Amino acid sequence: MAQSAYGATVSVGGTALAEVTSIGVPSLTGEVIDVSTHSSTDRWREFIRGMRDAGEFTITMKYTAGSTTDDACIAAITSDTAVAIELVAKAASGTEDLTFNAFGTSYDVNDLEFDGEQTCSLTLKPTGAVTQAASA
């Protein structure tokens, strides 16, 4: 049964981001490597599993300079080590946590229009495994 995304949360480096409007999620892919040879049975291609990748994804939120959210986003970009990420989303029953480490690849503050709201976006690149489990 379909679920509303309302109420999803995201934390970066242990800081819950405030006023989030859109949370991208890792896009999991797994490559395959062609290991076919002249002696492959009946001329069928053969494959083995290659590397897995979680892609990049973006979080969009309201922007407040100097807030804990702003500080966490800047830290994700300036850190030389990956930061811990936790996404909490509705599940078939209760909620599920997606946890992983990631590097910040861009932090963009959108144009500060005189008659518009201030917004920003943080793009993250997961490193290592992404795990998903029922929330505690």
Side-chain angles (χ1 to χ4, degrees):
M1 176 185 204
Q3 296 288 328
S4 167
Y6 178 80
T9 62
V10 61
S11 296
V12 173
T15 299
L17 300 184
E19 298 188 280
V20 174
T21 58
S22 176
I23 303 171
V25 293
S27 177
L28 305 178
T29 60
E31 69 179 24
V32 292
I33 300 169
D34 189 338
V35 293
S36 306
T37 66
H38 287 285
S39 59
S40 292
T41 305
D42 295 327
R43 298 172 61 166
W44 283 99
R45 291 194 177 274
E46 299 172 283
F47 299 90
I48 59 171
R49 173 60 71 193
M51 300 296 288
R52 294 170 185 85
D53 190 353
E56 272 190 335
F57 68 97
T58 301
I59 302 161
T60 305
M61 64 212 99
K62 310 294 186 197
Y63 174 70
T64 303
S67 66
T68 56
T69 292
D70 183 43
D71 292 345
C73 293
I74 291 169
I77 295 296
T78 59
S79 177
D80 289 336
T81 59
V83 295
I85 307 296
E86 179 183 34
L87 302 176
V88 180
K90 289 184 181 174
S93 176
T95 58
E96 292 271 324
D97 291 348
L98 277 76
T99 56
F100 51 93
N101 292 320
F103 290 99
T105 60
S106 72
Y107 180 48
D108 298 309
V109 175
N110 297 324
D111 293 346
L112 303 176
E113 308 270 342
F114 78 93
D115 64 347
E117 65 184 353
Q118 297 182 128
T119 61
C120 61
S121 59
L122 174 66
T123 302
L124 298 165
K125 173 64 179 162
T127 180
V130 174
T131 60
Q132 181 174 332
S135 298

